[in-house]
Amino acid sequence: MREGRIVEGRGGLYTVRTLDGQAFVLRVRGRFRREGLTPLVGDLVAFTPGNLEEHGWVEQILPRQSKSIRPPVANISQLVITIAPEPAPDLLLVDKLLVFARRQAIAPLILVNKADLDGSLAAQVREEYSAAGVGVLAVSAASGMGIETLRDLMAGQLTAFAGQSGVGKSTLISM
């Protein structure tokens, strides 16, 4: 058996990447479903590779360091909570995500995207959350402002983005 990390799950197939960078497409045995276990992106797994065009099998999900339902990921070390001036920030969602991160010992970062639209939002959020000891970073996916700093903060971390719809999470991930 080999070990790797699930990097993608789609339609009952999971892509697992090993430490040396090899990728394998795997299926999950039915016993996981019977045991109520769902493999998540970020899970470390033991697996048996397939032969030629045949898919391999996830044999075991190794112990998790953390587990998130929204987004559905495991073993993350950093949660980037993303907000923007448009749509209006849902600070109750930010609070819920911060509580989740702290309970799971995941480092939170509040990311204010679209900072080119309203530069004051980042300062306001920084002031409101300073007592909680949470970092706040202003970026703009459109102009590239702050993206290098974000990359530096993500280096060496297994990071997940969370936040309301329309704030630019997918755009930031694809940069």
Side-chain angles (χ1 to χ4, degrees):
M1 273 199 290
R2 303 197 52 190
E3 289 187 5
R5 183 178 304 276
I6 297 176
V7 295
E8 181 180 13
R10 192 174 294 169
L13 296 176
Y14 296 86
T15 303
V16 172
R17 190 170 310 279
T18 60
L19 284 177
D20 62 3
Q22 289 183 296
F24 297 87
V25 177
L26 309 171
R27 294 192 178 279
V28 177
R29 299 206 181 271
R31 70 178 168 87
F32 290 111
R33 194 173 312 117
R34 289 189 297 276
E35 294 172 6
L37 290 174
T38 301
L40 300 173
V41 169
D43 270 333
L44 294 170
V45 296
F47 67 94
T48 303
N51 291 321
L52 301 173
E53 297 294 316
E54 185 179 304
H55 297 300
W57 293 94
V58 172
E59 304 291 347
Q60 180 183 8
I61 298 172
L62 301 175
R64 293 173 171 154
Q65 301 295 317
S66 65
K67 178 184 173 187
S68 170
I69 303 301
R70 180 180 178 208
V73 293
N75 299 319
I76 61 172
S77 56
Q78 182 176 31
L79 183 66
V80 176
I81 302 166
T82 309
I83 61 173
E86 295 175 13
D90 181 350
L91 297 181
L92 180 58
L93 176 61
V94 172
D95 292 346
K96 287 178 181 180
L97 290 168
L98 283 172
V99 169
F100 159 76
R102 292 284 167 87
R103 284 186 175 166
Q104 296 273 327
I106 298 168
L109 171 67
I110 299 175
L111 186 72
V112 180
N113 191 22
K114 305 180 187 180
D116 53 320
L117 299 179
D118 180 1
S120 67
L121 179 60
Q124 174 191 344
V125 170
R126 193 173 287 117
E127 183 178 323
E128 290 178 9
Y129 286 91
S130 64
V134 180
V136 176
L137 176 64
V139 301
S140 169
S143 72
M145 176 189 85
I147 299 301
E148 283 305 314
T149 304
L150 176 60
R151 285 188 181 120
D152 291 344
L153 290 170
M154 291 173 48
Q157 302 281 340
L158 188 55
T159 302
F161 283 72
Q164 62 199 96
S165 180
V167 296
K169 298 180 301 288
S170 296
T171 302
L172 289 164
I173 290 169
S174 67
M175 295 186 80

